[in-house]
Amino acid sequence: AAELEYESVLCVKPDVNVYRIPPRTSNRGYRASDWKLDHPDWTGRLRVTSKGKTAYIKLEDKVSGELFAQAPIDQYPGIAVETVTDSSRYFVIRIQDGTGRSAFIGIGFTDRGDAFDFNVSLQDHFKWVKQETEISKESQEADTRPKLDLGFKEGQTIKLNIGNMTTKKGGAAKPRVSGSGGLSLLPPPPGGKIAVPPIPPPSSTAIANHVTPPPVLKSSNASSADILLDLDAPASTSKAPASATTDLWGDFSTASSAVPNQAPQQSNWVQF
């Protein structure tokens, strides 16, 4: 009911000529050359509208818009609108009034483009009517079909096979690492950390050589060079005079390297 109340305009042409046509005496089509084309019986405006699935051709006055005649169309092509056999600018339409009376009249357009638009507007409307009919028919058939129950039944399970992904028992699949050149690279082995070499402990010789001289007592009358030479020299070696060599630390280095295995003598040196 809502569709029947809504009226849409499909096409409007400001100039159209209306002709009285003689009755058809045979089954052959109408010919526009049989009409008095130079003397139309009426001239006005043509408007094509639609209400629901029915189209209407309305002939109206150009100035006042008063309705002169109306032709309802249920299908196209059909008996309500026919084309003439000798021209594409003229048509024969069946007009009807409110009492049910009908008559056939001829209409024509001066411009061929107006005739083309008039024809296309009717074709598009009834193409839409055909599509709507097919859609409604399919929906009715779908309602009558038994509905499929695609839900899972109680206890029903499914199994999915996704690609070539293989997993170990109790573990997840490891992803492949692809290089920039499209080659597959193996992941590093587990626990493949670089071991840091242990630092070797310092040797006894290095510990023996790394000594810190004791503080020098201020009350001692001997020189610092003599004290160092006396403490560092082994017991078996006699004290050398300070003037025997120009290097005061030479005897200390020689004595340490000469007897590395001997036990250190009791002295005031602190060993680390």
Side-chain angles (χ1 to χ4, degrees):
E3 288 184 354
L4 295 177
E5 293 177 358
Y6 179 75
E7 183 179 14
S8 61
V9 178
L10 303 179
C11 179
V12 176
K13 294 301 174 183
D15 294 320
V16 64
N17 298 324
V18 177
Y19 304 93
R20 288 184 180 179
I21 59 175
R24 183 163 54 180
T25 58
S26 62
N27 292 332
R28 66 186 182 89
Y30 293 98
R31 293 175 57 89
S33 59
D34 297 337
W35 309 343
K36 297 178 182 180
L37 300 179
D38 296 336
H39 301 86
D41 296 294
W42 185 84
T43 302
R45 179 180 64 188
L46 180 140
R47 193 157 60 98
V48 181
T49 63
S50 65
K51 184 180 292 187
K53 296 182 180 181
T54 305
Y56 297 89
I57 300 175
K58 296 184 178 181
L59 303 175
E60 301 171 345
D61 187 82
K62 292 182 179 180
V63 180
S64 63
E66 183 181 359
L67 182 64
F68 172 74
Q70 176 177 273
I73 306 171
D74 297 330
Q75 61 179 359
Y76 182 78
I79 192 174
V81 180
E82 297 183 44
T83 58
V84 298
T85 59
D86 56 349
S87 177
S88 61
R89 295 186 292 115
Y90 297 93
F91 303 87
V92 176
I93 63 175
R94 183 184 63 183
I95 59 175
Q96 293 180 351
D97 58 4
T99 60
R101 295 182 302 175
S102 61
F104 291 92
I105 61 174
I107 61 174
F109 301 93
T110 305
D111 190 0
R112 195 178 300 275
D114 292 342
F116 177 79
D117 294 341
F118 169 75
N119 190 18
V120 169
S121 64
L122 293 176
Q123 289 179 354
D124 290 344
H125 172 72
F126 286 99
K127 186 183 294 183
W128 170 81
V129 170
K130 183 178 179 180
Q131 291 176 355
E132 288 293 321
T133 304
E134 292 177 353
I135 292 173
S136 61
K137 184 178 179 180
E138 291 178 358
S139 62
Q140 291 177 0
E141 292 178 354
D143 294 338
T144 56
R145 295 173 187 170
K147 295 183 179 180
L148 298 176
D149 185 9
L150 301 179
F152 284 99
K153 306 299 186 294
E154 184 177 359
Q156 185 178 4
T157 59
I158 61 174
K159 182 179 180 181
L160 299 179
N161 186 10
I162 304 175
N164 295 325
M165 295 178 62
T166 57
T167 59
K168 295 182 179 180
K169 185 176 181 180
K174 296 182 179 180
R176 286 188 175 183
V177 181
S178 299
S180 59
L183 300 177
S184 298
L185 302 178
L186 294 176
K193 297 182 180 180
I194 300 175
V196 181
I199 300 174
S203 60
S204 59
T205 305
I207 294 177
N209 292 336
H210 185 74
V211 293
T212 303
V216 179
L217 301 177
K218 295 182 179 180
S219 60
S220 178
N221 295 326
S223 63
S224 61
D226 295 336
I227 294 174
L228 293 175
L229 292 176
D230 291 340
L231 294 177
D232 192 70
S236 60
T237 306
S238 61
K239 181 178 179 183
S243 61
T245 176
T246 57
D247 189 3
L248 298 178
W249 294 90
D251 293 340
F252 174 79
S253 301
T254 305
S256 300
S257 60
V259 282
N261 297 325
Q262 293 180 1
Q265 301 295 327
Q266 295 294 329
S267 63
N268 293 331
W269 291 91
V270 179
Q271 296 185 359
F272 294 92

